[in-house]
Amino acid sequence: MTTNRRSRKIAVRPLRVVTVLLAVLLANAWLTGCSGGESETPTIRFSQQYGVGYLPLMVMRHNKMVEAQAAERGIDQVDIEWVTLGGGASTSAALLSGNLDFAASGVGPMIKMWDKTRGAQNVKALGAINSIPIVLTTSDPEVQSIEDFNKTDRIALPAVKVSIQAVTLQMAAAKQWGNDAYDRLDDLTVSMKHPDAMAAMLSNSEVNAHFGSPPYYQQELERDGIHQVLTSYDVLGGKSTFNTLWASDSFRNDHPKLFAAVFAALKQAMQFIADKPREAAKIYIAEANSKLPEDLIFQIITDPDIEFTTTPKNVMKYARFMHQIKSIDHEAGSWKDMFFPEVANEPGS
């Protein structure tokens, strides 16, 4: 009996030690998971929208550049999730709800998010994605300028009032009729994804104008009866940022290596497009599941008016206008207020 008790005690002690060790390991694992540490396998969630403007993100995804840049920084495994959204409104909602880490959208929605999240999530742009003209086209031969639109016209754009197309149209209206009439054309606008907007206008529906981006306006202008009304470069007086990539300050602080990896991958993708535009065109066809001719995409990529760059251009003109019309509450003192320090030394505007 004594021998059995001793045997039982000897058998129980290792079990208690194992139980305690297991509890400690589980606690450490839970604490690591809650801290968002970069020792675990992290997941980065990106969004993008439709069109050639998002080509750098497509190149990043296709060539697994984020994964490679993360590995160089000691993170051997990272999971990347991508989602395609239809406009700035849905992109902003997804980021605010915590369903995205990096949101790609027009500069207008980015400015609104910067304004809305000051002192909270502190959303800013990691950098510009491009300088690209957006072009207002129409199937109505009587519309040669924005002053020719009437109450029966419908102008499709990604998101009423908040998309960069909507803001640019307001700026054009303010130039045409004065600052107090900046929203004169707002009632004519409807929210539609670019592919749907192009299809609607070309099918002679009630939508007879589209404020679009590449490759949509190029396709539209190839069709008989479609002509250009204005471009964002006309309104801004030169090259201007179309899309930006943004994130919260907390993600940058909690995941500095991943943040640095994403920025390095973005720059790497832009260099790839500059060095290998033909290969970049092939990647667009594959990633966008596009049936467009490769030569058309190549011509768009190499168009002198189109530039893939992290440098913000004419962003302050948008910010000042949006503050002037009370679309945002806070006035930016500089474009650097709305961007993370990674691009602070670039010649932005």
Side-chain angles (χ1 to χ4, degrees), residues 163-212:
S163 67
I164 193 59
Q165 287 86 351
V167 176
T168 304
L169 190 62
Q170 290 175 337
M171 293 176 75
K175 281 188 172 184
Q176 182 70 40
W177 296 294
N179 291 336
D180 292 340
Y182 75 90
D183 58 352
R184 181 165 172 171
L185 299 174
D186 283 5
D187 289 344
L188 307 184
T189 61
V190 293
S191 298
M192 297 184 77
K193 300 174 183 177
H194 286 310
D196 297 338
M198 180 178 71
M201 185 176 69
L202 296 181
S203 64
N204 296 317
S205 71
E206 65 175 5
V207 171
N208 63 340
H210 175 209
F211 213 159

XYZ file of all heavy atoms in Angstrom, residues 163-212:
377
model
N -16.572 60.646 -53.886
C -15.508 60.136 -54.756
C -14.697 61.300 -55.308
O -15.145 62.445 -55.342
C -16.092 59.309 -55.899
O -16.849 60.125 -56.780
N -13.474 60.993 -55.752
C -12.630 62.054 -56.292
C -13.252 62.638 -57.559
O -13.096 63.828 -57.861
C -11.194 61.541 -56.546
C -10.244 62.713 -56.799
C -11.153 60.543 -57.685
C -10.179 63.718 -55.665
N -14.005 61.818 -58.297
C -14.713 62.328 -59.471
C -15.770 63.348 -59.057
O -15.924 64.402 -59.698
C -15.375 61.175 -60.241
C -14.415 60.297 -61.010
C -13.825 59.185 -60.161
O -14.005 59.144 -58.933
N -13.105 58.278 -60.794
N -16.485 63.044 -57.974
C -17.528 63.961 -57.499
C -16.927 65.285 -57.035
O -17.450 66.363 -57.343
C -18.316 63.305 -56.366
N -15.818 65.198 -56.304
C -15.170 66.420 -55.815
C -14.616 67.235 -56.978
O -14.731 68.466 -57.004
C -14.041 66.070 -54.819
C -13.312 67.337 -54.381
C -14.617 65.343 -53.599
N -14.021 66.556 -57.958
C -13.478 67.263 -59.127
C -14.591 67.957 -59.907
O -14.423 69.086 -60.393
C -12.718 66.289 -60.043
O -11.692 65.622 -59.289
C -12.067 67.015 -61.211
N -15.741 67.306 -60.021
C -16.880 67.919 -60.706
C -17.367 69.145 -59.936
O -17.733 70.170 -60.538
C -18.003 66.895 -60.853
C -19.178 67.290 -61.761
C -18.709 67.521 -63.191
C -20.255 66.214 -61.729
N -17.343 69.083 -58.609
C -17.715 70.249 -57.807
C -16.729 71.402 -58.003
O -17.133 72.571 -58.076
C -17.786 69.855 -56.331
C -18.952 68.946 -55.992
C -18.924 68.485 -54.555
O -17.879 68.466 -53.904
N -20.072 68.071 -54.028
N -15.446 71.066 -58.091
C -14.444 72.106 -58.330
C -14.655 72.755 -59.691
O -14.528 73.978 -59.838
C -13.033 71.508 -58.236
C -12.664 71.038 -56.844
S -11.042 70.224 -56.770
C -9.950 71.654 -56.891
N -15.002 71.935 -60.682
C -15.267 72.476 -62.018
C -16.492 73.381 -62.002
O -16.518 74.450 -62.635
C -15.467 71.332 -63.010
N -17.514 72.976 -61.251
C -18.723 73.797 -61.140
C -18.428 75.122 -60.441
O -18.936 76.183 -60.850
C -19.804 73.028 -60.381
N -17.594 75.088 -59.399
C -17.229 76.316 -58.697
C -16.482 77.274 -59.613
O -16.672 78.500 -59.546
C -16.374 75.980 -57.476
N -15.628 76.739 -60.477
C -14.918 77.580 -61.448
C -15.874 78.177 -62.467
O -15.716 79.328 -62.896
C -13.853 76.751 -62.176
C -12.577 76.519 -61.391
C -11.520 75.868 -62.288
C -10.175 75.816 -61.588
N -9.111 75.265 -62.477
N -16.870 77.386 -62.867
C -17.785 77.816 -63.914
C -18.813 78.835 -63.417
O -19.085 79.848 -64.073
C -18.506 76.597 -64.491
C -19.466 76.901 -65.621
C -18.746 77.329 -66.885
O -17.706 76.779 -67.238
N -19.289 78.328 -67.590
N -19.385 78.575 -62.218
C -20.512 79.393 -61.756
C -20.258 80.118 -60.436
O -21.152 80.799 -59.934
C -21.748 78.512 -61.612
C -22.215 77.932 -62.919
C -22.713 78.607 -63.989
C -22.217 76.549 -63.285
N -23.046 77.746 -65.012
C -22.742 76.462 -64.611
C -21.843 75.369 -62.659
C -22.892 75.253 -65.285
C -21.987 74.160 -63.327
C -22.504 74.110 -64.624
N -19.074 79.943 -59.841
C -18.778 80.579 -58.564
C -18.837 79.582 -57.411
O -19.500 78.537 -57.504
N -18.152 79.899 -56.340
C -18.014 78.971 -55.216
C -19.358 78.559 -54.607
O -19.512 77.427 -54.141
C -17.130 79.586 -54.125
C -15.681 79.699 -54.566
O -15.224 78.968 -55.453
N -14.949 80.617 -53.945
N -20.328 79.473 -54.600
C -21.616 79.150 -53.997
C -22.411 78.128 -54.808
O -23.373 77.532 -54.295
C -22.468 80.415 -53.834
C -21.893 81.360 -52.784
O -21.102 80.884 -51.948
O -22.230 82.559 -52.813
N -21.993 77.897 -56.057
C -22.711 76.965 -56.937
C -21.916 75.680 -57.162
O -22.137 74.975 -58.148
C -23.005 77.634 -58.279
N -21.022 75.368 -56.223
C -20.153 74.194 -56.400
C -20.950 72.894 -56.547
O -20.514 71.941 -57.201
C -19.183 74.070 -55.213
C -19.821 73.568 -53.942
C -19.873 72.205 -53.658
C -20.399 74.448 -53.027
C -20.476 71.741 -52.492
C -20.991 73.998 -51.876
C -21.037 72.643 -51.607
O -21.638 72.191 -50.468
N -22.144 72.824 -55.947
C -22.927 71.586 -55.975
C -24.026 71.606 -57.044
O -24.962 70.792 -56.995
C -23.549 71.327 -54.600
C -24.453 72.469 -54.135
O -24.473 73.525 -54.797
O -25.131 72.292 -53.102
N -23.889 72.490 -57.989
C -24.941 72.664 -59.006
C -25.217 71.384 -59.801
O -26.357 71.141 -60.231
C -24.542 73.795 -59.954
C -25.556 74.100 -61.045
C -25.268 75.428 -61.680
N -26.075 75.693 -62.844
C -26.136 76.864 -63.476
N -25.417 77.900 -63.033
N -26.898 77.040 -64.536
N -24.181 70.546 -59.986
C -24.342 69.328 -60.787
C -24.548 68.079 -59.940
O -24.719 66.987 -60.496
C -23.122 69.139 -61.699
C -22.853 70.255 -62.709
C -21.548 70.006 -63.447
C -24.014 70.384 -63.697
N -24.542 68.229 -58.620
C -24.633 67.051 -57.751
C -25.898 66.232 -57.992
O -25.873 64.995 -57.930
C -24.576 67.464 -56.278
C -23.168 67.804 -55.818
O -22.249 67.816 -56.674
O -22.991 68.062 -54.617
N -27.010 66.909 -58.247
C -28.277 66.192 -58.438
C -28.290 65.354 -59.719
O -29.161 64.488 -59.877
C -29.449 67.174 -58.466
C -29.735 67.772 -57.091
O -29.242 67.209 -56.094
O -30.428 68.800 -57.020
N -27.333 65.614 -60.598
C -27.268 64.844 -61.857
C -26.416 63.588 -61.710
O -26.420 62.735 -62.606
C -26.680 65.705 -62.985
C -27.321 67.069 -63.238
C -26.680 67.722 -64.456
C -28.830 66.934 -63.420
N -25.688 63.462 -60.600
C -24.744 62.356 -60.454
C -25.413 61.128 -59.839
O -26.322 61.229 -59.013
C -23.538 62.764 -59.597
O -23.974 63.139 -58.280
C -22.813 63.936 -60.231
N -24.929 59.953 -60.270
C -25.400 58.666 -59.732
C -24.182 57.802 -59.430
O -23.174 57.858 -60.136
C -26.334 57.939 -60.723
C -27.635 58.694 -60.890
C -25.663 57.733 -62.082
N -24.277 57.002 -58.375
C -23.164 56.137 -57.974
C -23.198 54.835 -58.762
O -24.186 54.091 -58.711
C -23.242 55.833 -56.477
O -23.132 57.000 -55.700
N -22.110 54.561 -59.462
C -21.990 53.321 -60.225
C -20.525 52.925 -60.317
O -19.649 53.786 -60.421
C -22.552 53.479 -61.648
C -24.030 53.787 -61.729
S -24.643 53.837 -63.450
C -24.737 52.085 -63.811
N -20.259 51.624 -60.277
C -18.914 51.145 -60.536
C -18.533 51.469 -61.979
O -19.388 51.499 -62.867
C -18.837 49.627 -60.318
C -19.185 49.172 -58.914
C -19.221 47.653 -58.835
C -19.640 47.181 -57.461
N -19.752 45.696 -57.400
N -17.238 51.693 -62.202
C -16.796 52.076 -63.548
C -17.266 51.108 -64.647
O -17.761 51.563 -65.689
C -15.274 52.210 -63.591
C -14.762 53.449 -62.910
N -15.261 54.707 -63.169
C -13.783 53.614 -61.985
C -14.621 55.597 -62.425
N -13.731 54.955 -61.702
N -17.118 49.797 -64.476
C -17.562 48.903 -65.555
C -19.055 49.032 -65.837
O -19.482 49.025 -67.001
C -17.220 47.504 -65.021
C -16.159 47.718 -64.005
C -16.471 49.043 -63.377
N -19.850 49.177 -64.769
C -21.302 49.316 -64.953
C -21.651 50.662 -65.582
O -22.566 50.758 -66.407
C -22.010 49.184 -63.602
C -21.804 47.814 -62.971
O -21.500 46.861 -63.706
O -21.929 47.710 -61.734
N -20.926 51.707 -65.196
C -21.185 53.041 -65.746
C -20.886 53.074 -67.239
O -21.668 53.643 -68.024
C -20.332 54.075 -65.016
N -19.775 52.478 -67.634
C -19.425 52.443 -69.052
C -20.485 51.673 -69.840
O -20.952 52.127 -70.897
C -18.054 51.802 -69.252
C -17.628 51.744 -70.714
S -15.974 51.046 -70.965
C -16.297 49.316 -70.559
N -20.893 50.524 -69.310
C -21.902 49.709 -69.990
C -23.219 50.462 -70.105
O -23.891 50.416 -71.148
C -22.102 48.398 -69.238
N -23.576 51.190 -69.063
C -24.841 51.937 -69.078
C -24.819 53.040 -70.120
O -25.782 53.221 -70.877
C -25.110 52.516 -67.689
N -23.713 53.792 -70.177
C -23.648 54.893 -71.131
C -23.624 54.367 -72.571
O -24.299 54.922 -73.459
C -22.425 55.768 -70.870
C -22.385 57.009 -71.774
S -21.010 58.136 -71.432
C -19.626 57.156 -71.980
N -22.885 53.300 -72.800
C -22.766 52.774 -74.163
C -24.033 52.073 -74.633
O -24.210 51.857 -75.837
C -21.581 51.808 -74.252
C -20.196 52.434 -73.999
C -19.096 51.387 -74.142
C -19.937 53.597 -74.951
N -24.913 51.741 -73.699
C -26.168 51.074 -74.077
C -27.324 52.051 -74.220
O -28.484 51.638 -74.310
C -26.523 50.005 -73.043
O -26.779 50.607 -71.781
N -26.984 53.361 -74.199
C -27.992 54.405 -74.388
C -29.075 54.378 -73.314
O -30.268 54.593 -73.596
C -28.641 54.297 -75.779
C -27.636 54.536 -76.891
O -26.813 55.448 -76.803
N -27.684 53.700 -77.926
N -28.675 54.116 -72.078
C -29.618 54.160 -70.962
C -29.773 55.615 -70.519
O -29.320 56.545 -71.190
C -29.089 53.306 -69.802
O -27.969 53.946 -69.203
N -30.413 55.817 -69.370
C -30.575 57.192 -68.882
C -29.238 57.819 -68.507
O -29.128 59.043 -68.426
C -31.518 57.213 -67.683
C -30.999 56.479 -66.453
C -31.903 56.628 -65.257
O -32.989 57.218 -65.398
O -31.520 56.165 -64.179
N -28.208 56.986 -68.265
C -26.865 57.508 -67.997
C -26.242 57.923 -69.323
O -26.031 57.093 -70.213
C -25.983 56.445 -67.304
C -24.533 56.922 -67.238
C -26.499 56.142 -65.906
N -25.985 59.215 -69.479
C -25.405 59.686 -70.739
C -24.046 60.352 -70.549
O -23.526 60.987 -71.468
C -26.366 60.633 -71.461
C -26.635 61.897 -70.664
O -26.436 61.940 -69.451
N -27.100 62.943 -71.354
N -23.460 60.197 -69.340
C -22.122 60.727 -69.096
C -21.458 59.876 -68.023
O -22.123 59.287 -67.164
C -22.191 62.188 -68.657
N -20.137 59.826 -68.082
C -19.381 59.013 -67.134
C -18.068 59.713 -66.826
O -17.328 60.085 -67.737
C -19.106 57.621 -67.740
C -18.244 56.758 -66.887
N -17.411 55.785 -67.432
C -18.064 56.690 -65.531
C -16.763 55.176 -66.443
N -17.136 55.705 -65.292
N -17.795 59.919 -65.541
C -16.525 60.486 -65.109
C -15.627 59.306 -64.747
O -15.679 58.792 -63.632
C -16.741 61.409 -63.910
C -15.790 62.589 -63.878
C -16.108 63.723 -63.146
C -14.587 62.580 -64.570
C -15.260 64.822 -63.097
C -13.720 63.661 -64.544
C -14.059 64.786 -63.805
N -14.814 58.880 -65.706
C -14.114 57.616 -65.563
C -12.602 57.722 -65.547
O -12.018 58.798 -65.704
